[in-house]
Amino acid sequence: MKTIFTYIRPKMGQMSVQLLIKFSGTVVELLLPWMLSVILDTYAAAGNRKMIWVWGGLMTLCAAGALVGNVVANRMATRISRDITKNLRRDLFAKITQLSAGQEDAFTTPSLISRLTSDTYNVHQMVDRMQRLGVRAPILLLGGVAVTLSMEPVLTLVLLTALPLLGMIVFLVSRKGIRLYTRTQQALDSLIRRAQESMAGIRVIQALSKTEYEKAQFDGDNQRAVQREYKAGLLMNLTNPVMNLVLNTGLTLVVVVGAFRVNAGATQPGTIIAFLSYFTIILNALMMVSRLFVMYSKGAASGRRIAEVLDAPKEMNILSLPSKDRTCHIEFDRVSFSYAKNKNDIEGICFSLKKGETLGIIGPTGSGKSTILRLLLRLYDPDKGTVYIDGKDIRSIPPKELYAMFGVVFQNDFLHAGSIRENIDFGRNLTPQQHARAAQMAQAEFVQIPINGFDRQIASRGTNLSGGQKQRVLLARALAGHPKILLLDDSSSALDYKTDAALRRALADELGGTTKIIVAQRISSIRHADHILVLEEGREIGYGTHEQLMDTCPAYREIAQVQMPEAVLQKKERQG
Ligand code: ATP
Ligand code: MG
């Protein structure tokens, strides 16, 4: 809650004004039944019409004043809580974008989404309600008790015996409530995850006739979320009737005791009527308090979840390390890394590339190809060994400087909703010539068509483009900034062989100074690379040029044999 409070603190000034208005309005409201008792017992009994009018007018004025004050204060409260939520959401989003890949894995994306949406909403509701009712309810409650105490101490004692019991109920319920609402939000996390996965894979689900299965899965999660919310709601809603019961019992007692006292001449009927009004006020105030506790339970549970993200330690710090005198552009020095920190996902990887050289990486699925690129981008830090760029340990390079070097196409990369031009530009304010050049290099002729070319709208994730078109736009995006380092992770797999070859030629011609790392499944995509790294289960099983590997690496030769038997045959013939 401390973290959430730092967002409330700057608004304290405004909040005090709001609370003061609320306070004054509530105090005036509290005086109304007392005024009624004065009219009834003093002036009505004596038949003083003039004073009845005067006090009646005063009552109306006070009621109107209290109403206006309440409306003004509530409007202020809405504005204040809106601002607080806006800042909170902005910072939370900023923090999420700065989380390290490891932290993101730990929180999970769906959970981050629900923290950004429904959790901030709960905090908003809490802050809003606290301002609306936080002052009003206690004043009505305590003020009501104080006024009744001064009017009729004996009757008030009846009421007071009920209060500790009510206090206990509120305390116990809200403590349990926070736990229940935390579990509800967790259920919501998995519901969002399910929805997200189903949306992403909707085509596959339909194609494999898995719709019913997915529906059943979703229903299960939905049911769980609803049940938890229901359980929490049930507990919270139980407080109202129980409080009602306790209070109404007290009310009945007051009427009975009051009747005896009026009969005995110890008090007046007007006092009893005012007393009943105060009783209703106190009852309502207690209801407000219990509602406040519901909001608080929800808001506190959500606030804690938000704070977990906001307070997540900054990983990937910039270290000050001396740079070495090296001639190579990129170097991996005995790098090992494990995601789960149990078994190494890559182990002892070594290679070095001079400026402008190309490294091809090939290997079976799950062998660590993408992991090498992630380490070079410093999405994760290696457990052992070092990654150097220009002789500098990449942990000593500021992120801005580091990321400015790269043009990347990730495996299964995605496009944003927007025009093709916007996707290629990616907020870098490049010139139309640069866009056109990049599109040409990426063999994306289809965007050059005058009508609808660059301005063609892409749907979110690029669902309205073909696989090959998507890859070409992604390639154009990576190439447009003329990066120093180009990373392509399986990004020409949807291109036909001819286009793939044209792409390689364009890269060689136009990006001669760019160091390239190309992950591919096809040997043809990397056979001309200066170095080829063959991976298996995170380890290097071959390193060299295509020719060298054909002689020395059986695994590589096997892949080549399957993919281009003629080439292998020709080579054998030449040797024979
Ligand atoms: P592919 O050809 O299928 O893309 P790859 O060679 O790129 O495979 P990597 O993505 O580098 O494989 O994964 C290497 C290993 O690390 C795999 O065993 C994978 O299960 C594991 N792995 C990858 N990403 C994560 C992650 N975020 N958390 C935990 N384990 C991961
Ligand atoms: Mg991969």
Side-chain angles (χ1 to χ4, degrees):
M1 279 323 271
K2 215 174 85 212
T3 315
I4 303 300
F5 195 68
T6 50
Y7 288 85
I8 298 177
R9 201 174 300 134
K11 295 279 167 194
M12 280 307 222
Q14 282 181 51
M15 264 188 185
S16 324
V17 176
Q18 186 266 345
L19 293 180
L20 197 71
I21 299 175
K22 198 94 197 182
F23 177 83
S24 321
T26 311
V27 170
V28 171
E29 209 177 314
L30 204 55
L31 291 176
L32 292 176
W34 169 75
M35 290 170 138
L36 183 67
S37 81
V38 172
I39 294 176
L40 286 177
D41 290 342
T42 317
Y43 302 115
N48 188 342
R49 274 179 175 251
K50 196 174 148 230
M51 284 314 278
I52 292 176
W53 275 106
V54 171
W55 278 77
L58 201 64
M59 264 183 86
T60 315
L61 267 182
C62 284
L67 183 76
V68 170
N70 225 337
V71 170
V72 170
N74 282 351
R75 288 181 64 118
M76 278 183 81
T78 308
R79 213 169 17 228
I80 292 168
S81 44
R82 182 198 62 197
D83 288 349
I84 290 174
T85 320
K86 192 181 74 192
N87 293 342
L88 187 65
R89 202 173 272 154
R90 180 198 59 206
D91 288 1
L92 186 62
F93 182 74
K95 178 75 188 196
I96 287 174
T97 59
Q98 285 161 13
L99 289 179
S100 73
Q103 285 171 322
E104 235 177 276
D105 291 348
F107 280 119
T108 76
T109 312
S111 178
L112 289 173
I113 293 176
S114 73
R115 284 169 213 239
L116 195 59
T117 51
S118 81
D119 283 313
T120 45
Y121 175 75
N122 287 346
V123 170
H124 174 89
Q125 288 287 329
M126 175 181 74
V127 176
D128 191 56
R129 285 299 143 86
M130 282 290 171
Q131 291 177 84
R132 282 161 185 256
L133 306 178
V135 164
R136 188 171 154 79
I139 291 181
L140 288 180
L141 189 66
L142 297 178
V145 172
V147 177
T148 47
L149 206 58
S150 69
M151 278 168 63
E152 252 293 349
V154 182
L155 287 182
T156 313
L157 283 182
V158 177
L159 172 70
L160 282 183
T161 47
L163 279 184
L165 192 64
L166 295 171
M168 272 289 283
I169 296 173
V170 167
F171 173 72
L172 290 177
V173 163
S174 65
R175 206 178 53 171
K176 180 118 176 93
I178 293 182
R179 245 187 325 222
L180 286 179
Y181 277 117
T182 308
R183 280 166 45 90
T184 309
Q185 288 303 110
Q186 282 164 354
L188 207 62
D189 285 356
S190 56
L191 189 69
I192 293 179
R193 179 172 60 233
R194 175 80 55 191
Q196 212 182 21
E197 282 169 0
S198 304
M199 300 289 167
I202 196 127
R203 302 272 155 85
V204 184
I205 292 167
Q206 285 168 349
L208 298 180
S209 309
K210 285 281 183 202
T211 334
E212 286 309 315
Y213 172 78
E214 276 299 312
K215 247 197 254 168
Q217 294 282 317
F218 187 84
D219 283 347
D221 278 346
N222 198 5
Q223 197 83 26
R224 202 163 312 125
V226 170
Q227 256 164 13
R228 290 191 183 172
E229 174 81 42
Y230 174 73
K231 211 168 146 193
L234 195 69
L235 175 81
M236 293 299 170
N237 289 333
L238 211 65
T239 28
N240 272 2
V242 171
M243 284 179 145
N244 253 328
L245 182 74
V246 175
L247 261 153
N248 281 320
T249 314
L251 210 60
T252 316
L253 274 177
V254 166
V255 174
V256 173
V257 177
F260 277 110
R261 283 175 66 80
V262 170
N263 271 350
T267 190
Q268 285 174 300
T271 313
I272 301 291
I273 291 175
F275 206 91
L276 290 179
S277 297
Y278 278 117
F279 236 89
T280 321
I281 288 180
I282 292 170
L283 179 89
N284 278 331
L286 265 167
M287 297 293 178
M288 283 182 212
V289 170
S290 78
R291 227 175 310 145
L292 263 183
F293 273 97
V294 178
M295 284 328 298
Y296 176 77
S297 308
K298 265 190 175 183
S302 290
R304 210 162 292 162
R305 282 161 52 86
I306 292 171
E308 269 171 17
V309 180
L310 286 175
D311 294 341
K314 190 167 181 296
E315 284 183 358
M316 305 292 165
N317 291 314
I318 313 298
L319 312 178
S320 53
L321 299 164
S323 54
K324 302 188 183 169
D325 241 2
R326 283 171 200 255
T327 47
C328 28
H329 190 196
I330 299 175
E331 182 180 354
F332 267 56
D333 184 14
R334 284 160 292 162
V335 173
S336 300
F337 174 74
S338 162
Y339 288 100
K341 306 294 170 220
N342 42 22
K343 79 167 225 327
N344 277 345
D345 290 302
I346 64 162
E347 193 164 318
I349 296 297
C350 280
F351 63 81
S352 58
L353 301 174
K354 292 202 192 67
K355 200 162 170 41
E357 280 188 329
T358 302
L359 172 74
I361 305 181
I362 196 164
T365 178
S367 55
K369 303 181 295 291
S370 303
T371 305
I372 290 182
L373 301 190
R374 291 185 199 123
L375 290 171
L376 181 58
L377 283 162
R378 210 190 169 201
L379 299 181
Y380 300 88
D381 276 338
D383 298 324
K384 269 199 227 117
T386 318
V387 181
Y388 297 98
I389 293 179
D390 288 327
K392 280 190 240 167
D393 186 328
I394 58 166
R395 288 172 300 177
S396 67
I397 306 175
K400 265 209 178 116
E401 201 179 305
L402 182 68
Y403 294 133
M405 299 179 194
F406 290 101
V408 190
V409 181
F410 287 110
Q411 201 171 9
N412 307 323
D413 211 337
F414 64 92
L415 294 164
H416 293 278
S419 68
I420 288 186
R421 185 187 306 283
E422 282 163 357
N423 267 283
I424 295 179
D425 190 78
F426 214 52
R428 290 175 290 192
N429 295 323
L430 305 173
T431 61
Q433 286 77 17
Q434 282 172 306
H435 296 152
R437 244 0 265 124
Q440 207 167 16
M441 259 195 279
Q443 313 301 314
E445 303 86 4
F446 71 100
V447 304
Q448 306 281 25
I449 311 160
I451 314 155
N452 249 350
F454 274 109
D455 295 318
R456 176 163 169 191
Q457 288 296 314
I458 301 182
S460 176
R461 289 174 185 273
T463 43
N464 58 347
L465 294 185
S466 77
Q469 287 173 334
K470 206 159 39 174
Q471 278 194 341
R472 288 170 222 219
V473 176
L474 285 164
L475 277 166
R477 184 177 85 185
L479 301 174
H482 261 262
K484 290 202 184 89
I485 304 169
L486 180 67
L487 307 180
L488 303 180
D489 191 350
D490 216 3
S491 40
S492 54
S493 57
L495 305 184
D496 54 86
Y497 283 91
K498 197 168 139 240
T499 315
D500 195 9
L503 168 70
R504 255 176 291 126
R505 232 170 299 123
L507 289 184
D509 290 349
E510 305 226 6
L511 294 179
T514 298
T515 310
K516 308 169 198 81
I517 301 186
I518 299 173
V519 173
Q521 302 289 350
R522 285 189 209 150
I523 288 208
S524 62
S525 304
I526 52 165
R527 71 178 290 179
H528 302 289
D530 302 293
H531 312 275
I532 298 170
L533 173 64
V534 189
L535 283 180
E536 197 175 279
E537 295 189 356
R539 280 168 224 264
E540 172 195 312
I541 55 164
Y543 186 78
T545 61
H546 174 74
E547 306 303 326
Q548 289 165 343
L549 287 171
M550 287 300 278
D551 291 335
T552 58
C553 182
Y556 186 84
R557 205 165 41 228
E558 211 173 291
I559 306 172
Q561 229 146 17
V562 175
Q563 290 188 0
M564 30 189 213
E566 350 60 64
V568 179
L569 224 64
Q570 278 168 14
K571 188 175 159 67
K572 276 198 184 137
E573 274 165 13
R574 249 183 286 131
Q575 282 169 344

